Amino acid sequence: MTHVITQTCCGDATCVAVCPVNCIHPTPQEPGFAAAEMLYIDPASCIDCGACVDACPVDAIYPLDTLPGPQKEYARINADHFADAGTPAARDGSPIFHPWEEPAFERNLPSDFAPIRVAVVGTGPAGMYAAEDLLLHTNAEVTLIDRLPVAGGLVRYGVAPDHPATKRIGETFARFHTHPRVRMLLGLHVGQDVTVDELAAHHDAVVYAVGASRDRRLGIPGEDLPGSTSATAFVAWYNAHPETAADAVDLSTERVVVVGNGNVALDVARILVADDGHLAGTDIADHALRALRGSDVREVVLLGRRGPEDAAYTRSELLALTHLPGVELVVDDGDPRTGAAIDAAGPRDKAGLLRDVARTKVDWTSPPPEGRRIVFRFHSAPVEVLGGDAVRGVRVTSGSGEVEIPTGMLLRAIGYRGSPIPGLPFEEATGTVPHVDGRVVGRPGTYVVGWIKRGPTGGIGANRACAAQTVGTLLADAVQGDLPAPTGSAKAFRRLVRHRNRHVVDARGLAAIERAELARGRRSGRPAANWPRSPNSWPPPGPAAASAPDTRTGGPQHP
Amino acid sequence: MVELGRAFKTLAFGEAAYAAILVAEEVLDVMQRDWMRDERVVPFVRTINNIHVVEESRHMRFARDETLKRLENASWLRLQIQAFVVAVASYVIVTSMVTEKVYARAGLDVERAVREAKANEHHKAMLRSSCSGLMEFLASARLLTKPSLRFYKRANLI
Ligand SMILES: Cc1cc2nc3c(=O)[nH]c(=O)nc-3n(C[C@H](O)[C@H](O)[C@H](O)COP(=O)(O)OP(=O)(O)OC[C@H]3O[C@@H](n4cnc5c(N)ncnc54)[C@H](O)[C@@H]3O)c2cc1C
Ligand SMILES: NC(=O)c1ccc[n+]([C@@H]2O[C@H](COP(=O)([O-])OP(=O)(O)OC[C@H]3O[C@@H](n4cnc5c(N)ncnc54)[C@H](OP(=O)(O)O)[C@@H]3O)[C@@H](O)[C@H]2O)c1
Ligand code: SF4
Ligand code: SF4
């Protein structure tokens, strides 16, 4: 038998380090790693020890014979990877049974390395991988800061609620919230409550892991009509982000047009047509669940400006879409290039993923048919959003001229965008902070990691290698003596923070919030009910925190 | 070791024994992985290490499963006791047994090596990062209680 890696794999390579026979590939040392959407287990070498199952933070690995229904095809997908790449073999005459690379000792701290004080700004995956790296490899003291009162970044406010296994990686990160050398300050906005310079003055080094929280714009007429919004806002809405209003979304339209076909576009499409009974079993925001129950949406159209061979979604997320109960998947066959690309695709080519998906020439002048469906339309970009005081339709390009698609809602899922932090350099074109190997240009002792460093692409696991690079640079600078010495003590920093913001939540406060959420979820028969709370409406940590939620947002309104 | 064994008999229920085995095996596992891949190590030692790594992967899974199973319905008090016993056991294992053997095997003067290692930040970093999987497991088994953390910290496991 063998073990099999499935849909939720985020490519963090935790499993690689525990496999006793090195049969999980590509490993971080192998050339294909950076571009790999997921990792694969070689069925020819796996000895079914199960070590990887215990190690995987998102429960992506199963023994072959216990693969749940929709994941069964991953047996073939794992095997195919090695059919293409070949099973690596140990060299002849090697004293060991499996091919291994030489051990790599990347970090070589001097034996008298003095403890440093590092601030990590942002508690998303990038910040937490950086904190973990620092805590495991040095005796550093870490100040963990986030502007929101709840930690997690996009793991909490981005990852879709119907991806509970992926969200579970939050538990792995949370282990470091209470680490003895960590001090957590949530609800503290760097750039507003404290400045970049103040933070630097009280730490040996500062790592910015602030992500990319804004959205990109299409720059077409009508983009700001009511009913036209970003996937960023929509995602924040269903994940109960504290800065989105509960009534921000109106679902009284039969068709939604989504621009872009990346994984975020797939996430929003899935949530829009998902069975509300299924969503009720997730930690989706109460207000979103209520709105989706009363939703008129039957059809979601995903516009790709290029062909199916260049679709931005990953294979695993597309495959998951084909298994959505009660939802039909359709490719719009209006443009002959689309069908041609799918037919010409090899079995492992991107376009080939749509081979078994129904194709129809969609008639955009009539309303969507009965039942729920997702339509992929390729070679089609939006030109203008139509409507007087609200979105009525969208004019898009096609192989022959332009067509009008009637819709009441346009979601642009064309990517996230970083925003500048006052006091740090910023590159407008990419929405990132300029850096060399993670060191911010022109600011010694200042570093970046994650989406604010690389731009808004890559899954959770990609931030691990990214953090290793940044922390490596930071430690090299520390060893070189290149870190500017802090002028203020840890105590002085605490005093400053208290002075600036009295609502800061610490690790205990966060634990109280999480307990309250679980309790609230239990009362309504759901795993955990998130509710939006603005940083300033949240009470300071203490016993009050656990009982506050119900009164704050008008109480849970579960039907 | 004898005292530890005796303390075990009186204090430990099964889960602590499994968890302690786990600690020892995890620490050894990480080192053996490095040695078996290291071309500077004599071939027959590499082969033995390789055999151990493969064998231990199954033992460790078993020990993890058993620990979790036995702790599943443990009361608060029992959990506290177990956490404490496992922490003390880990401390003893990591600070004495393993490291000294390692130096002896590497052909070093044990006493001096131990003294230097105690103060060596690089060594501490290696311990912490090698044992991160173990600590992750102990955390998920709720075995990282406040009092036990002091021992892990002193043993440079956290
Ligand atoms: C909708 C969506 C769904 C996704 N789903 C998946 C998935 O299922 N699987 C997967 O592998 N990947 C997924 N990803 C990708 C993954 O979320 C990202 O790779 C990852 O979150 C990027 O990490 P980050 O730490 O750079 O940013 P973030 O996760 O955004 O974290 C940034 C943190 O910084 C804080 N911050 C920002 N500014 C400040 C400031 N001035 N002061 C203090 N704190 C500040 C923010 O509050 C936030 O907590 C998804 C992404 C999106 C957008
Ligand atoms: N594993 C998961 O479940 C999951 C879930 C969500 C997100 N993520 C990850 O998070 C990252 C971000 O995802 P994302 O979907 O935001 O970004 P993305 O993958 O980069 O997709 C952006 C999409 O928008 C299109 N686009 C960009 N500008 C456009 C324009 N001006 N007009 C029309 N179309 C335009 C792109 O088309 P072109 O390709 O033609 O540029 C592409 O289809 C990705 O790495 C993704 O894998 C993972
Ligand atoms: S998520 Fe990480 S640990 Fe799990 S299978 Fe993928 S690479 Fe391995
Ligand atoms: S079950 Fe064991 S041998 Fe198989 S991939 Fe996982 S860790 Fe490797």
Side-chain angles (χ1 to χ4, degrees):
Chain A
M1 225 184 45
T2 179
H3 277 54
V4 177
I5 301 184
T6 64
Q7 182 197 337
T8 49
C9 176
C10 74
D12 73 341
T14 304
C15 52
V16 171
V18 301
C19 180
V21 297
N22 200 23
C23 70
I24 308 177
H25 297 275
T27 69
Q29 283 81 38
E30 286 166 352
F33 181 75
E37 286 181 358
M38 60 177 284
L39 268 52
Y40 309 90
I41 292 175
D42 184 358
S45 318
C46 172
I47 58 164
D48 286 311
C49 70
C52 53
V53 177
D54 289 349
C56 177
V58 296
D59 298 347
I61 308 179
Y62 294 85
L64 177 67
D65 59 353
T66 66
L67 276 174
Q71 309 288 340
K72 286 209 192 315
E73 57 197 336
Y74 282 90
R76 182 184 47 80
I77 292 171
N78 278 247
D80 279 354
H81 176 82
F82 297 93
D84 294 347
T87 293
R91 270 180 297 115
D92 280 345
S94 166
I96 51 177
F97 315 124
H98 312 284
W100 289 92
E101 287 107 18
E102 282 267 298
F105 301 102
E106 285 127 11
R107 298 282 154 71
N108 249 320
L109 282 189
S111 57
D112 58 348
F113 188 75
I116 50 174
R117 203 151 19 102
V118 184
V120 174
V121 186
T123 57
M128 291 316 297
Y129 280 127
E132 172 178 11
D133 197 328
L134 282 164
L135 290 165
L136 291 179
H137 293 100
T138 73
N139 47 0
E141 302 273 340
V142 175
T143 315
L144 256 184
I145 300 173
D146 206 291
R147 75 188 179 85
L148 296 176
V150 179
L154 285 170
V155 170
R156 182 157 187 129
Y157 295 118
V159 173
D162 60 348
H163 280 10
T166 304
K167 292 209 171 219
R168 215 161 292 148
I169 200 168
E171 294 166 22
T172 306
F173 294 141
R175 182 158 85 77
F176 295 96
H177 294 167
T178 51
H179 189 283
R181 279 181 282 127
V182 167
R183 174 164 215 97
M184 195 154 62
L185 303 170
L186 302 176
L188 185 71
H189 198 152
V190 176
Q192 278 179 19
D193 296 331
V194 293
T195 67
V196 162
D197 287 336
E198 284 166 341
L199 199 55
H202 292 86
H203 293 88
D204 293 284
V206 184
V207 181
Y208 286 88
V210 291
S213 54
R214 302 236 187 119
D215 51 85
R216 295 179 51 206
R217 296 180 54 83
L218 287 162
I220 58 172
E223 194 172 3
D224 293 316
L225 282 174
S228 166
T229 180
S230 65
T232 310
F234 186 72
V235 165
W237 172 75
Y238 65 61
N239 276 323
H241 191 287
E243 284 151 6
T244 353
D247 60 358
V249 173
D250 175 8
L251 297 175
S252 59
T253 171
E254 294 176 339
R255 175 185 290 130
V256 175
V257 175
V258 176
V259 187
N261 53 24
N263 280 350
V264 171
L266 264 50
D267 274 357
V268 302
R270 219 174 49 243
I271 297 293
L272 278 166
V273 295
D275 174 46
D276 52 27
H278 175 61
L279 289 180
T282 71
D283 67 355
I284 191 169
D286 289 340
H287 56 242
L289 184 59
R290 239 176 299 135
L292 287 161
R293 279 191 170 136
S295 155
D296 294 329
V297 178
R298 292 206 304 275
E299 180 179 278
V300 180
V301 182
L302 299 173
L303 295 184
R305 59 179 167 181
R306 297 188 283 162
E309 64 281 13
D310 295 311
Y313 46 69
T314 57
R315 170 168 60 182
S316 53
E317 289 306 303
L318 192 274
L319 287 178
L321 222 51
T322 65
H323 296 300
L324 266 195
V327 178
E328 200 197 347
L329 219 56
V330 177
V331 172
D332 179 10
D333 212 11
D335 192 315
R337 286 173 291 175
T338 301
I342 296 173
D343 290 336
R348 320 260 212 283
D349 291 339
K350 194 128 212 184
L353 293 171
L354 295 171
R355 191 180 303 265
D356 297 330
V357 175
R359 273 180 241 167
T360 21
K361 202 162 167 343
V362 180
D363 173 12
W364 298 111
T365 56
S366 47
E370 283 308 306
R372 288 168 290 145
R373 67 174 193 174
I374 294 174
V375 180
F376 281 98
R377 184 180 158 85
F378 294 97
H379 297 293
S380 183
V383 183
E384 182 183 359
V385 191
L386 308 164
D389 43 14
V391 174
R392 213 174 21 76
V394 53
R395 199 150 48 78
V396 301
T397 61
S398 76
S400 47
E402 292 175 355
V403 278
E404 232 182 88
I405 304 180
T407 176
M409 184 172 177
L410 182 83
L411 281 175
R412 49 177 195 280
I414 56 172
Y416 281 57
R417 186 176 157 77
S419 50
I421 301 271
L424 291 188
F426 189 70
E427 233 158 59
E428 274 301 330
T430 51
T432 56
V433 170
H435 70 94
V436 177
D437 297 336
R439 186 194 302 107
V440 174
V441 173
R443 270 204 75 103
T446 307
Y447 303 84
V448 279
V449 66
W451 277 14
I452 191 64
K453 169 185 169 191
R454 291 177 288 124
T457 54
I460 295 168
N463 298 295
R464 191 172 180 213
C466 178
Q469 186 199 42
T470 295
V471 171
T473 305
L474 189 161
L475 294 181
D477 289 351
V479 172
Q480 284 283 314
D482 286 346
L483 297 183
T487 50
S489 66
K491 207 164 150 206
F493 185 65
R494 285 202 290 279
R495 219 178 305 125
L496 176 77
V497 167
R498 258 201 311 276
H499 180 67
R500 295 288 171 77
N501 181 339
R502 294 189 303 111
H503 297 287
V504 168
V505 174
D506 61 7
R508 271 181 51 213
L510 179 63
I513 290 177
E514 279 165 352
R515 273 198 306 277
E517 271 173 356
L518 281 176
R520 193 172 121 115
R522 256 198 309 277
R523 280 203 297 280
S524 54
R526 301 189 37 210
N530 292 336
W531 70 95
R533 39 191 123 56
S534 78
N536 295 328
S537 75
W538 189 253
S547 55
D550 283 350
T551 53
R552 258 170 212 269
T553 51
Q557 276 123 35
H558 293 287
Chain B
M1 279 301 115
V2 178
E3 272 122 274
L4 181 69
R6 216 173 278 141
F8 242 55
K9 259 204 205 125
T10 42
L11 272 176
F13 310 104
E15 55 268 35
Y18 281 113
I21 292 172
L22 201 57
V23 172
E25 292 209 337
E26 285 257 14
V27 176
L28 272 174
D29 182 63
V30 172
M31 295 176 177
Q32 295 189 338
R33 272 168 200 262
D34 285 343
W35 294 332
M36 85 185 183
R37 289 153 62 185
D38 197 333
E39 308 240 320
R40 294 164 304 183
V41 175
V42 273
F44 93 91
V45 173
R46 293 179 65 194
T47 307
I48 291 172
N49 284 328
N50 197 163
I51 292 170
H52 282 173
V53 165
V54 171
E55 286 304 310
E56 273 159 24
S57 68
R58 291 207 179 86
H59 298 172
M60 276 151 50
R61 182 102 211 269
F62 179 73
R64 274 194 293 266
D65 275 356
E66 283 300 313
T67 311
L68 286 181
K69 229 187 290 161
R70 283 155 191 266
L71 282 177
E72 205 171 22
N73 298 314
S75 66
W76 180 86
L77 182 67
R78 182 167 171 145
L79 200 66
Q80 298 298 311
I81 298 175
Q82 295 313 305
F84 187 76
V85 175
V86 175
V88 175
S90 310
Y91 180 82
V92 175
I93 289 166
V94 171
T95 51
S96 59
M97 187 179 90
V98 177
T99 37
E100 287 184 22
K101 246 196 209 155
V102 171
Y103 299 125
R105 270 205 228 175
L108 295 175
D109 169 359
V110 174
E111 216 171 289
R112 193 179 138 217
V114 169
R115 191 167 4 94
E116 282 184 9
K118 271 211 177 110
N120 186 328
E121 284 305 327
H122 176 67
H123 171 81
K124 293 178 188 171
M126 293 291 288
L127 256 178
R128 271 193 304 263
S129 54
S130 327
C131 291
S132 70
L134 169 68
M135 300 315 285
E136 171 83 42
F137 169 75
L138 294 177
S140 70
R142 297 171 297 155
L143 285 170
L144 295 189
T145 55
K146 266 254 162 64
S148 66
L149 275 178
R150 298 226 319 266
F151 286 89
Y152 294 114
K153 211 175 163 184
R154 279 199 61 180
N156 296 306
L157 289 175
I158 199 156

